[in-house]
């Protein structure tokens, strides 16, 4: 019945939605930032543990749609062990993938995150996928203010 | 086989409501969305327009258009006649005592802001109270918060119960000798609840307190008689009433409107201007500064003609059946929880589904050609009360059918399966 949606709702997304990874609080986190999408009420708190400029642990709490939950879940997996610069670079690539023009997109560069490429066809849902990354960006820049997609 | 048979039988409607004929009047209903026939269930956000309304705008701009109340030339007279003719139609539609009580504004939002900034500023002082309910749309919360900030008045909020009904006893207790205005939603856009407005008005009037009704949702679903209701103000938007966007109405009792200071300054709202002093125009023009949305008003007039032909009581009865049918079907879907189960309800079905976010529901249903709203519906306090971040909402109009509801319910059941 939902064949048209297979590009958007891939099995990996359902899987991360059912069993989000790193869904926990990091006690004594070095960074803790809230992200909020006022359009849909999605809220998340991102926790980072840092060693110098390396992200040694990442986790989140909160509630959102399947796209935003899968996006933040995948993100916490992929940024672990990355330097701040590497994570920012990935954010840029992810952003291009979800909002850029076809010719700019390099799916290989984003690895597992490519499962979220389908949101490009659904402008109303792009922010669901990017909320996690905007929150990470704020955390890396050490901003204390909650992030809002609006 | 058997199941299908039952569904076809329950498709029959009790009334002889001419839904197929009505559907044919709405060109957009022939649209394909993602290759499926459109099933438009976002009517509480805004509803679609019949050909008669679209034609009225084309006719105006093609043959009768000029500015209103300005010139002696033929077109200005024609345009003014159509514009003022629409005012009479509005007056009749809500049974106001006369045309002076019908103020054209942008929409329900502007109507409420107008009352807050004119009646409110003139009559409400520090320490006074304004009473609303916990089920208001943001547009019946924020204008009062702004007024409270400006004046030092206090906003009081009457609570609701888990069915989404106003707790009337609590409401009544909140009316005090400090209360200067009661402003309540006639029908809630998030819950569908129809408030006991006559009781509310009687209780407020017993203490000498005027009442504004936010009728944005109620007016497309039931006959409205402002004299019978005895409300002091009634606010609504055209676009939820099959009319164009950009036009709405503030009804006010003449005596109240006469005593109120003007809202905005400009052309049309004055009688005489010198640099020393300005004399304001009579009602309703005192509140209509500047060139109005002429085409919007004319379109609203056409929408009211169209609705009168069908009859608001017939529409209410038909939509009542749709709601009962949808509610019954929804109750049988495991994991679905209806948000808003008031005993008096209009044709709105708000719901959440276990472990599936309303946004996912919205996208999935869209792929089936079904338009529903997912979000907080400009009623964040209502979402907080029910402890949900958002809901999905199917809101029905007179052109919806039981077979569309069948497609909706099958879609919801299947997406629950897909999410697992
Ligand atoms: C109950 C209620 N009041 C007020 C409004 C505001 O209407 P508008 O945005 O047309 O001014 C709405 C619209 O959603 C509504 O549902």
């Amino acid at each position: 019945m939902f064949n048209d949606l297979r590009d958007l709702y891939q099995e990996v997304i359902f899987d991360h939605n059912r069993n989000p990874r790193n869904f926990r609080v990091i006690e004594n986190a070095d960074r803790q930032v809230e992200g909020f999408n006022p359009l849909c009420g999605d809220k998340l708190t991102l926790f980072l543990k840092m060693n110098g400029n390396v992200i040694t642990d990442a986790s989140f709490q909160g509630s959102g749609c399947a796209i935003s939950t899968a996006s933040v879940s995948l993100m916490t997996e992929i940024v672990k062990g990355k330097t701040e610069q590497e994570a920012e670079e990935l954010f840029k690539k992810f952003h291009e993938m979800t909002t850029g023009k076809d010719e700019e997109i390099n799916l290989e560069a984003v690895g597992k995150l490519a499962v979220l490429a389908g949101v490009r066809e659904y402008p109303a849902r792009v922010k669901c996928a990017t909320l996690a990354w905007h929150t990470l960006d704020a955390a890396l820049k050490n901003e204390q203010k909650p992030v809002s997609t609006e | 086989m058997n199941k299908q048979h039952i569904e076809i039988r329950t498709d029959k409607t009790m009334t002889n409501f001419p839904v197929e004929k009505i559907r044919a009047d709405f060109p957009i209903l022939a649209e394909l969305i993602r290759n499926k026939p459109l099933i438009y269930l976002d009517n509480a956000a805004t509803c679609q327009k019949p050909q008669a309304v679209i034609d009225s705008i084309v006719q105006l701009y093609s043959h009768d258009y000029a500015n209103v109340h300005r010139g002696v030339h033929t077109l200005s007279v024609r345009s003014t006649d159509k514009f003022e003719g629409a005012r009479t139609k509005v007056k009749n539609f809500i049974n106001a005592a006369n045309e002076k009580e019908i103020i054209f504004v942008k929409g329900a939002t502007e109507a409420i802001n107008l009352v807050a900034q004119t009646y409110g500023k003139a009559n409400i002082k520090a320490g006074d109270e304004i009473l609303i309910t916990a089920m208001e749309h943001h547009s019946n919360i924020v204008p009062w918060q702004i007024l409270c900030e400006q004046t030092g008045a206090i906003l009081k909020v009457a609570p609701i119960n888990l069915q989404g009904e106003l707790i009337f006893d609590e409401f009544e207790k909140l009316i005090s000798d400090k209360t200067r205005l009661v402003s309540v939603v006639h029908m809630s856009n998030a819950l569908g609840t129809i408030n006991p407005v006559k009781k509310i008005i009687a209780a407020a009037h017993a203490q000498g307190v005027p009442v504004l009704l936010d009728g944005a949702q109620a007016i497309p679903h039931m006959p409205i008689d402002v004299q019978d209701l005895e409300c002091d103000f009634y606010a609504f938007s055209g676009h939820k009433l099959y009319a164009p966007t950009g036009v709405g109405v503030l009804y006010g009792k003449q005596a109240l409107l006469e005593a109120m200071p003007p809202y905005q300054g400009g052309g049309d709202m004055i009688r005489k201007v010198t640099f020393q002093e300005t004399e304001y125009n009579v009602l309703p023009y005192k509140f209509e500064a500047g060139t109005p949305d002429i085409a919007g008003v004319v379109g609203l007039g056409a929408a009211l003609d169209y609705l009168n032909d069908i009859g608001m009581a017939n529409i209410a009865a038909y939509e009542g059946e749709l709601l009962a049918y949808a509610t019954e079907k929804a109750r049988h879907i495991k994991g679905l929880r209806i948000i808003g189960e008031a005993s008096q309800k209009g044709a709105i079905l708000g719901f959440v589904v276990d472990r599936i976010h309303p946004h996912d529901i919205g996208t999935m249903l869209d792929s089936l050609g079904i338009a529903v709203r997912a979000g907080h519906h400009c009623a964040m306090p209502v979402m907080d009360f029910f402890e949900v971040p958002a809901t999905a909402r199917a809101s029905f109009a007179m052109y919806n059918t039981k077979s569309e509801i069948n497609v909706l319910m099958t879609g919801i059941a299947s997406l629950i399966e897909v999410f697992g």
Side-chain angles (χ1 to χ4, degrees), chain A residues 1-2 4-5 8-9 11 14 17-18 36-42 63-67 121-122 124-125 128, chain B residues 34 36 355 357 359-361 363-368 374-376 380 389-390 410-412 414-415 418-420:
Chain A
M1 185 172 253
F2 297 104
D4 296 354
L5 285 176
L8 182 62
Y9 290 99
E11 198 39 54
F14 283 130
N17 183 50
R18 270 180 227 122
F36 181 50
N37 182 346
L39 273 187
C40 58
D42 284 2
S63 74
C65 64
I67 307 292
E121 305 298 325
Y122 297 85
R125 304 301 303 276
C128 308
Chain B
R34 297 187 186 271
K36 317 248 169 29
R355 298 193 316 278
H357 192 281
H359 257 199
D360 295 317
I361 297 173
T363 298
M364 294 222 137
L365 292 177
D366 179 61
S367 78
L368 306 178
H376 53 63
M380 286 187 184
T410 311
I412 297 171
S414 329
L415 74 86
V418 171
F419 264 76

Side-chain angles (χ1 to χ4, degrees), chain A residues 22 24 26 47-50 54-59 76 79-81:
Chain A
N22 302 306
R24 57 190 158 82
I26 298 178
F47 303 88
L48 297 182
K49 194 86 192 150
M50 309 292 296
V54 177
I55 302 167
T56 54
D57 196 8
S59 75
T76 55
V79 299
K80 251 187 257 185

